Amino acid sequence: MKRRFPIYAILALIATALVSSCNDDSDDMSTLIPDSSADAVMVNTFSLEANDSVLANLDSVFFSIDLDRAVIFNADSLPVGTKVNRLVTEMTFSGVRKAEITMPSSTGADTVVDYLKNPNDSIDFSRGSVKLHLESASGTVTRDYTIYVNVHKVNPDRMEWSKMNWTLPTNLASVKEQRTLDFGDGTMFCFTTDGTSVCRASSQAPLDSWTFTDVTFPADARLSTLVAADGKMFVVDSNNTLFESTDCGLSWSQTSARMSYIYGVVGGKAIGVIDDGGYKTVTYPASTANPIVDGMPVAGTSAAVVYTTEWSDAPMLIVAGGVDADGNAVNGVWACDGGVWAKLSSSLPALEAPMVVPYYAFRTSTVWKVTRRSVLLCFGGLLNGSTPNRNVYISYDMGVNWTLAPSDMALPATYTPGSYAQAIVVNQTLGSRAVKPITEWDCPYIYAFGGEGINMTTSTDVWRAVINRLEFKPLQ
């Protein structure tokens, strides 16, 4: 049986662990295919000669040699704007007697370079691929290779934000409040109310079609407290009574629990807080109520993120920001393993109702290897409870340490995220630009729904974000 550690021990382990994605690819910069026969027409190694005026570590760019298709290429493209019109190549062969590189020219007449005689001649890759013609030492076998030096046309690590051409999905004439949830089975629910009626809109990726259902919520239910996980939904009313739904919000049953705010659901339990002569943390199904930890939020947190660690078989719930018992914005991140609360981080500023979402970031090494890393992003909300937050914060270690995200991931000037908005990640299948054998792949998009401005009005806008690289066809 796996040993379960208490939350304080888990947090200590997380704080000292380096959490990052690993790249298992070999760092060898060449593909070695030894063959000394007189009929060999193989390219054993291929690289570019160092040239810092073109790009630092140019000689470390990894090139794949596909002998089946006779194609040589760099799968990880060079940065946008890299000049590739005068590159010197370094190749080795297995005893060929002819190696000629043919380059297309602007005049229409091809330029041919005898590589065996002039290996230091520069090659122009700016007009696309070039052809490498090999003739074996015996003169009886020839083969033509196509060589590509790929360069990104857009910044691959830039996060592109766009406003959707549709607004909050609803059949109501006006929206006073909204709450959007990922139910965990691929279904997204957007609940809206005009103060009297409630509409439930449901959809699955790619969220281009929504089904509307009029639902009856408990009287005086506070939509801002609605949470969902593990096949259930929970909401509390103005009397702090907790209600439960097992049919995605169509019908509700009153529970014996009382909560003034619900943080989320973890391990099948609704985790919340109640002001009962002093704030106490509570759960449903019920457990012993405990006084809140000093400084922890009692409302206005981000939607919860739940994850598991290698140190425990119990899932952990984390929330960012919020307001404390005195109504002041709270800094940092708080964590709960289903019963015990602890502060996970103090490196986020005081934010009321920000958005936190699990996503990805990429790191490019000095040898041009790209590694995808799992991260948490935090954006939106009210800074110090009063000013719209335009910063994007990033954590590479499950919420322990936060810094400003790279400038490539900044919010566009046209988007001012409000507080009490929800961000969800939707995996959409792409494939229109793919070729066999890969014909489709999943691309994770961040959708940000609604939000309140400082005038407390609810926005009906929906925005979508994606890192450019995630839309590229996967390497093959």
Side-chain angles (χ1 to χ4, degrees):
M1 179 179 295
K2 178 183 278 190
R3 181 183 179 188
R4 180 180 175 184
F5 293 91
I7 188 170
Y8 288 102
I10 295 171
L11 297 185
L13 286 168
I14 293 174
T16 58
L18 177 62
V19 180
S20 63
S21 299
C22 295
N23 186 350
D24 293 330
D25 293 341
S26 169
D27 285 333
D28 291 343
M29 301 313 297
S30 63
T31 301
L32 182 62
I33 308 168
D35 193 317
S36 58
S37 72
D39 293 331
V41 284
M42 294 182 182
V43 179
N44 290 338
T45 64
F46 182 95
S47 62
L48 299 176
E49 185 178 274
N51 188 340
D52 287 348
S53 65
V54 173
L55 185 69
N57 302 305
L58 184 63
D59 56 333
S60 297
V61 175
F62 179 80
F63 279 83
S64 298
I65 302 174
D66 187 334
L67 292 177
D68 291 331
R69 297 187 300 157
V71 176
I72 301 171
F73 64 101
N74 57 316
D76 292 326
S77 299
L78 302 181
V80 176
T82 302
K83 302 296 183 183
V84 294
N85 59 323
R86 294 181 60 84
L87 300 179
V88 177
T89 63
E90 295 183 354
M91 293 180 278
T92 60
F93 317 103
S94 298
V96 299
R97 75 177 191 180
K98 181 183 288 187
E100 294 178 338
I101 298 175
T102 301
M103 300 174 284
S105 68
S106 58
T107 62
D110 292 340
T111 301
V112 179
V113 172
D114 186 333
Y115 185 81
L116 296 182
K117 292 182 179 179
N118 304 296
N120 295 320
D121 279 6
S122 61
I123 308 301
D124 185 359
F125 291 93
S126 63
R127 294 183 176 86
S129 63
V130 303
K131 185 179 75 173
L132 170 66
H133 175 76
L134 298 183
E135 184 176 306
S136 67
S138 66
T140 59
V141 180
T142 63
R143 196 173 198 198
D144 292 332
Y145 290 80
T146 303
I147 306 175
Y148 298 90
V149 176
N150 295 315
V151 178
H152 283 299
K153 295 181 180 179
V154 297
N155 182 346
D157 298 318
R158 179 178 175 83
M159 180 171 280
E160 300 291 349
W161 293 80
S162 59
K163 184 179 178 180
M164 303 305 293
N165 58 10
W166 46 271
T167 56
L168 287 176
T170 185
N171 59 10
L172 302 176
S174 62
V175 176
K176 183 178 179 180
E177 194 175 6
Q178 71 88 26
R179 188 77 169 176
T180 303
L181 306 168
D182 179 354
F183 198 58
D185 63 352
T187 305
M188 311 299 160
F189 290 101
C190 179
F191 290 85
T192 51
T193 180
D194 58 7
T196 302
S197 301
V198 177
C199 170
R200 188 196 75 176
S202 60
S203 183
Q204 293 187 329
L207 306 189
D208 55 0
S209 177
W210 293 80
T211 300
F212 301 127
T213 306
D214 294 326
V215 296
T216 301
F217 262 51
D220 296 324
R222 290 182 283 134
L223 202 57
S224 62
T225 66
L226 180 66
V227 298
D230 302 333
K232 298 179 181 180
M233 292 184 179
F234 296 94
V235 73
V236 297
D237 65 8
S238 58
N239 294 316
N240 297 334
T241 301
L242 179 69
F243 290 83
E244 177 183 12
S245 173
T246 57
D247 56 9
C248 302
L250 294 178
S251 61
W252 294 86
S253 58
Q254 181 175 331
T255 73
S256 58
R258 296 183 68 249
M259 296 184 185
S260 54
Y261 184 72
I262 314 173
Y263 300 102
V265 180
V266 62
K269 293 181 179 181
I271 310 296
V273 65
I274 183 67
D275 185 4
D276 186 17
Y279 280 99
K280 297 178 181 179
T281 58
V282 290
T283 67
Y284 176 81
S287 66
T288 303
N290 296 298
I292 62 171
V293 180
D294 288 345
M296 73 176 289
V298 298
T301 66
S302 70
V305 174
V306 177
Y307 60 80
T308 57
T309 75
E310 62 183 291
W311 303 292
S312 173
D313 58 359
M316 184 181 297
L317 173 151
I318 68 170
V319 292
V323 295
D324 62 18
D326 296 322
N328 299 316
V330 173
N331 76 326
V333 174
W334 292 77
C336 178
D337 64 356
V340 179
W341 281 90
K343 193 167 189 177
L344 181 65
S345 171
S346 297
S347 54
L348 271 181
L351 293 167
E352 179 180 348
M355 289 172 274
V356 172
V357 63
Y359 205 57
Y360 304 99
F362 294 85
R363 178 177 59 189
T364 302
S365 72
T366 57
V367 294
W368 301 103
K369 284 291 185 179
V370 177
T371 303
R372 186 168 83 166
R373 308 176 68 182
S374 295
V375 301
L376 292 176
L377 300 179
C378 177
F379 58 99
L382 294 177
L383 189 62
N384 296 318
S386 60
T387 305
N389 169 47
R390 293 195 51 81
N391 292 326
V392 178
Y393 301 93
I394 189 169
S395 173
Y396 296 94
D397 52 12
M398 298 183 292
V400 177
N401 295 288
W402 294 81
T403 59
L404 284 174
S407 58
D408 291 337
M409 302 178 77
L411 300 176
T414 52
Y415 176 38
T416 302
S419 56
Y420 297 94
Q422 291 83 53
I424 58 177
V425 175
V426 179
N427 284 313
Q428 180 176 335
T429 300
L430 303 181
S432 60
R433 293 170 293 166
V435 296
K436 293 181 178 181
I438 295 176
T439 58
E440 61 181 26
W441 68 97
D442 286 338
C443 176
Y445 290 92
I446 299 174
Y447 284 82
F449 288 80
E452 295 181 1
I454 55 177
N455 58 0
M456 302 303 290
T457 59
T458 298
S459 169
T460 59
D461 292 341
V462 179
W463 286 74
R464 190 178 77 170
V466 65
I467 294 177
N468 283 327
R469 191 187 297 274
L470 293 169
E471 292 189 309
F472 299 163
K473 182 171 72 72
L475 306 182
Q476 61 184 73

